[in-house]
Amino acid sequence: MVLLCWSLLWLLLPLGFRAQKLPTRDEELFQMQIRDKALFHDSSVIPDGAEISSYLFRDTPRRYFFVVEEDNTPLSVTVTPCDAPLEWKLGLQELPEHSSGESSGDREPLEQQRQQATHEQGTELFSYRGNAVEAFLSSSSPAGLYQLELLSTEKDTHFKVYATTTPESDQPYPELPYDPRVDVMALGRTTVTLAWKPSPTASLLNQPVQYCVVINKEHNFKSLCAVEAKLGADDAFMTVPKPGLDFSPFDFAHFGFPPDHLGKERSFLAKTSPKPARPVHLRPKTDIQKVCIGSKNIFTVSDLKPDTQHYFDVFVVNTNTNMSTAYVGTFARTKGEAKQKTLELKDGKATDVFVKRKGAKFLRFAPVSSHQKVTFFIHSCLDAVQVQVRRDGKLLLSQSVEGIRQFQLRGKPKAKYLIRLKGNKKGASMLKILATTRHGKQSFPSLPEDTRIKAFDRLRTCSSATVAWLGTQERNKFCIYRKEVDDHYNEEQRKREQNQCLGPDTRQKSEKVLCKYFHSQNLQKAVTTETIKGLQPGKSYLLDVYVIGHGGHSVKYQSKVVKTRKLC
């Protein structure tokens, strides 16, 4: 940084400026120099009324000086640590009489004043250790040579210093309201709404300000300088050179100076042959966001990670001075995903499950005894549903199920099974599921591949309808039901009637036609017919066939609407 330039300039100052003393605001030389504040960055002189930025090497103290020439002068010194805690102290040494501002004699050389301040023990006025923005403020300070000493014991770091003898009129830092806290107004899974009271600098003094919001997952920040240092941590940084070593223009490029400025402002550095470049190290990228939102004092942060703690800071920036003040930050944990309840399946007992559209349900089956095999009966009542079965975390099965399916899996002692049911995009899903380790007759009835009911148009009469359906090789009980419907019976009503999980127990007794047992070892002959009588002429009827298994569980065939003849 410019620190290095000034280190070299100090070697030249005693030769060219033997008569120069520490500049104050009253000196013509200082007025000329203050026009370009960059000249003061990393020098040992603190200008009156300007903020300087500088750099500290770890365990290497730095001293800064400035003169107060008149007694009873207001004084304010503010130190802003950036990316590491600092130890700093402010001391005072009285000026010799001949160095007073009223003296008409020769000025004491600057180098001599600095040496005197270094060797003489002064009065310590203030000290601080930490990473907060801290200030020394005095309404009446004595004349003297003031020395600010800073030390970083953790790492090489940046910092800022601002000193002024007119703190009342300068007011470069925006003021905070009486309540400087940032409040969380609303909290969601991926959003947090923040609000804070406006700065008096904008509302009362009418100075231009903007607010910057900073979001991260580590901690709150005490200064915008610390945020900017963190944001720059993923840039390429060289190994910081140690004091006393020669520097090349390459070195300055990695301290944040653009290469095109090096040739003009620091051309004297290139008089010596450049040394080989030091290795460049990449710091880990930081998970931090900075958003400046203008003068609004309410802001909604979006695209946050659910169930995660985030830290929120707000900084008010004076756009005239580009200096900032931190509000008291806050933190909040975004809401997590709604926890899925895991249903427990009991051995041999069927469970009804409802799955929302695109939703998911989890079931757990933990057999109480050792078992060689486990059987899952799954009956999808409406549309197809995706089924996954895991045993102790290992995926054993992943299939789409429509109608009734049976899966037999190899068992394992003390194994636990997790079943995940995922709905489809069309609509909600309903199903029955049964898990068992017991061998014997199936709890659910077997079904043919085609579960439609066929109506014979030629056999229709004014009072009857003849239908047929397929059976299986397993002897099951079949029950047929009828219900009169109007001529405007639509597809939506038909879909509701297609719930295959609704059993005969949901029907009215007057709707029952008959029940009978039926099976055939020859699947080609596994067909049964039935004539439904007692119907009214010209009326529409909804016909349903239920097959009932040994365990009492029933499955409904696809419904069929038939209409009797009006004239016979």
Side-chain angles (χ1 to χ4, degrees), residues 246-546:
D246 293 331
F247 302 100
S248 71
F250 177 86
D251 298 332
F252 285 98
H254 287 79
F255 272 89
F257 293 101
D260 57 337
H261 291 173
L262 297 175
K264 298 178 181 179
E265 299 179 6
R266 298 177 175 80
S267 58
F268 64 90
L269 294 171
K271 292 180 180 178
T272 60
S273 58
K275 298 199 172 186
R278 294 176 174 85
V280 174
H281 298 274
L282 292 178
R283 297 184 181 180
K285 289 191 175 183
T286 54
D287 187 8
I288 180 172
Q289 301 176 54
K290 173 189 168 187
V291 184
C292 293
I293 60 171
S295 58
K296 296 185 299 182
N297 64 326
I298 186 169
F299 182 67
T300 297
V301 187
S302 57
D303 297 326
L304 298 175
K305 187 176 181 180
D307 194 25
T308 303
Q309 183 156 297
H310 297 82
Y311 295 84
F312 305 95
D313 292 288
V314 173
F315 300 91
V316 53
V317 183
N318 187 326
T319 55
N320 284 340
T321 64
N322 204 32
M323 298 168 76
S324 60
T325 307
Y327 279 71
V328 178
T330 187
F331 60 89
R333 177 174 289 274
T334 47
K335 292 183 179 180
E337 301 280 358
K339 291 186 177 180
Q340 290 278 358
K341 288 185 177 180
T342 302
L343 300 176
E344 293 286 342
L345 294 178
K346 294 184 179 180
D347 198 332
K349 184 177 181 180
T351 301
D352 295 317
V353 182
F354 176 80
V355 184
K356 294 181 180 179
R357 177 175 174 267
K358 294 183 180 180
K361 281 288 180 69
F362 293 88
L363 303 95
R364 181 174 175 269
F365 180 52
V368 294
S369 59
S370 298
H371 57 284
Q372 293 182 342
K373 292 182 180 180
V374 60
T375 305
F376 290 96
F377 295 94
I378 299 173
H379 181 193
S380 178
C381 308
L382 296 172
D383 295 316
V385 63
Q386 188 69 27
V387 178
Q388 284 187 349
V389 179
R390 294 178 183 270
R391 184 186 63 201
D392 299 332
K394 182 180 179 181
L395 183 64
L396 301 180
L397 173 70
S398 181
Q399 285 192 23
S400 179
V401 173
E402 190 170 7
I404 285 186
R405 292 290 300 276
Q406 173 183 329
F407 302 102
Q408 195 170 71
L409 305 176
R410 182 177 296 178
K412 195 175 181 181
K414 300 181 180 179
K416 293 179 177 59
Y417 300 86
L418 181 67
I419 302 96
R420 180 177 184 265
L421 306 172
K422 184 173 177 58
N424 58 44
K425 297 179 181 179
K426 296 180 181 179
S429 300
M430 296 179 63
L431 60 146
K432 287 180 178 286
I433 183 169
L434 181 145
T436 182
T437 58
R438 304 166 189 168
H439 302 289
K441 294 183 179 180
Q442 294 185 4
S443 298
F444 283 92
S446 59
L447 289 175
E449 292 184 3
D450 190 347
T451 58
R452 292 176 299 175
I453 300 174
K454 180 177 175 57
F456 297 97
D457 186 64
R458 291 183 179 181
L459 300 179
R460 275 191 310 136
T461 69
C462 292
S463 61
S464 68
T466 302
V467 295
W469 63 90
L470 298 177
T472 65
Q473 295 175 327
E474 181 181 345
R475 187 172 185 269
N476 287 316
K477 181 180 180 181
F478 294 88
C479 293
I480 188 167
Y481 285 75
R482 69 178 185 187
K483 181 174 73 171
E484 184 179 337
V485 295
D486 57 37
D487 293 335
H488 303 290
Y489 186 78
N490 56 36
E491 288 298 321
E492 185 178 347
Q493 290 173 300
R494 183 190 296 269
K495 187 174 181 180
R496 286 200 300 265
E497 300 287 349
Q498 285 300 112
N499 185 348
Q500 294 181 322
C501 291
L502 295 178
D505 54 330
T506 62
R507 305 298 295 263
Q508 296 181 13
K509 290 183 178 181
S510 60
E511 297 176 351
K512 184 176 180 181
V513 178
L514 60 86
C515 290
K516 68 177 182 179
Y517 287 90
F518 164 72
H519 78 288
S520 175
Q521 295 298 325
N522 187 348
L523 289 179
Q524 294 181 350
K525 296 182 179 180
V527 181
T528 185
T529 60
E530 194 64 43
T531 299
I532 297 95
K533 299 177 181 179
L535 306 180
Q536 298 296 319
K539 298 292 184 179
S540 297
Y541 292 88
L542 180 71
L543 303 181
D544 287 309
V545 172
Y546 296 88

Side-chain angles (χ1 to χ4, degrees), residues 32-318:
M32 177 188 69
Q33 292 172 329
I34 195 63
R35 292 190 189 102
D36 186 3
K37 296 178 183 179
L39 293 175
F40 284 97
H41 288 197
D42 296 316
S43 74
S44 292
V45 178
I46 300 179
D48 191 351
E51 185 180 64
I52 65 170
S53 300
S54 191
Y55 195 86
L56 270 179
F57 296 99
R58 185 171 66 90
D59 295 331
T60 304
R62 291 220 44 188
R63 297 182 181 88
Y64 290 85
F65 303 89
F66 59 95
V67 171
V68 174
E69 294 195 343
E70 297 181 1
D71 288 331
N72 302 318
T73 298
L75 176 63
S76 174
V77 179
T78 304
V79 176
T80 303
C82 290
D83 52 351
L86 296 180
E87 299 177 17
W88 64 273
K89 59 184 178 180
L90 182 66
L92 167 66
Q93 291 179 345
E94 294 184 1
L95 288 174
E97 291 184 2
H98 60 275
S99 65
S100 168
E102 299 177 356
S103 173
S104 59
D106 295 335
R107 302 287 188 182
E108 186 174 340
L110 179 61
E111 183 67 20
Q112 185 176 342
Q113 293 184 46
R114 292 178 67 250
Q115 291 178 356
Q116 181 180 357
T118 303
H119 292 95
E120 293 185 7
Q121 191 73 21
T123 303
E124 184 175 306
L125 302 177
F126 184 81
S127 65
Y128 174 76
R129 172 186 290 183
N131 61 353
V133 180
E134 192 60 59
F136 168 80
L137 180 63
S138 174
S139 59
S140 179
S141 297
L145 179 66
Y146 287 77
Q147 173 179 292
L148 176 66
E149 183 175 308
L150 304 101
L151 176 67
S152 173
T153 59
E154 285 193 7
K155 62 177 181 177
D156 303 339
T157 183
H158 294 271
F159 66 92
K160 294 184 178 183
V161 177
Y162 174 78
T164 180
T165 55
T166 55
E168 290 296 327
S169 59
D170 284 359
Q171 296 184 340
Y173 294 99
E175 292 185 38
L176 292 177
Y178 67 92
D179 182 2
R181 294 174 298 178
V182 178
D183 296 318
V184 176
M185 306 301 293
L187 191 64
R189 290 178 53 252
T190 59
T191 60
V192 173
T193 299
L194 308 171
W196 55 92
K197 293 177 175 59
S199 166
T201 302
S203 58
L204 299 179
L205 303 179
N206 294 321
Q207 293 188 22
V209 300
Q210 72 168 342
Y211 298 99
C212 294
V213 181
V214 175
I215 310 103
N216 78 106
K217 300 176 185 176
E218 296 181 3
H219 55 75
N220 289 109
F221 288 94
K222 297 184 179 180
S223 70
L224 198 54
C225 174
V227 174
E228 291 165 349
K230 192 76 171 177
L231 282 170
D234 58 346
D235 295 334
F237 262 73
M238 58 168 285
T239 304
V240 178
K242 297 303 177 185
L245 299 178
D246 293 331
F247 302 100
S248 71
F250 177 86
D251 298 332
F252 285 98
H254 287 79
F255 272 89
F257 293 101
D260 57 337
H261 291 173
L262 297 175
K264 298 178 181 179
E265 299 179 6
R266 298 177 175 80
S267 58
F268 64 90
L269 294 171
K271 292 180 180 178
T272 60
S273 58
K275 298 199 172 186
R278 294 176 174 85
V280 174
H281 298 274
L282 292 178
R283 297 184 181 180
K285 289 191 175 183
T286 54
D287 187 8
I288 180 172
Q289 301 176 54
K290 173 189 168 187
V291 184
C292 293
I293 60 171
S295 58
K296 296 185 299 182
N297 64 326
I298 186 169
F299 182 67
T300 297
V301 187
S302 57
D303 297 326
L304 298 175
K305 187 176 181 180
D307 194 25
T308 303
Q309 183 156 297
H310 297 82
Y311 295 84
F312 305 95
D313 292 288
V314 173
F315 300 91
V316 53
V317 183
N318 187 326

Side-chain angles (χ1 to χ4, degrees), residues 10-22:
W10 272 118
L11 302 177
L12 303 177
L13 282 172
L15 299 177
F17 302 96
R18 287 292 183 183
Q20 183 185 354
K21 68 179 289 298
L22 288 174

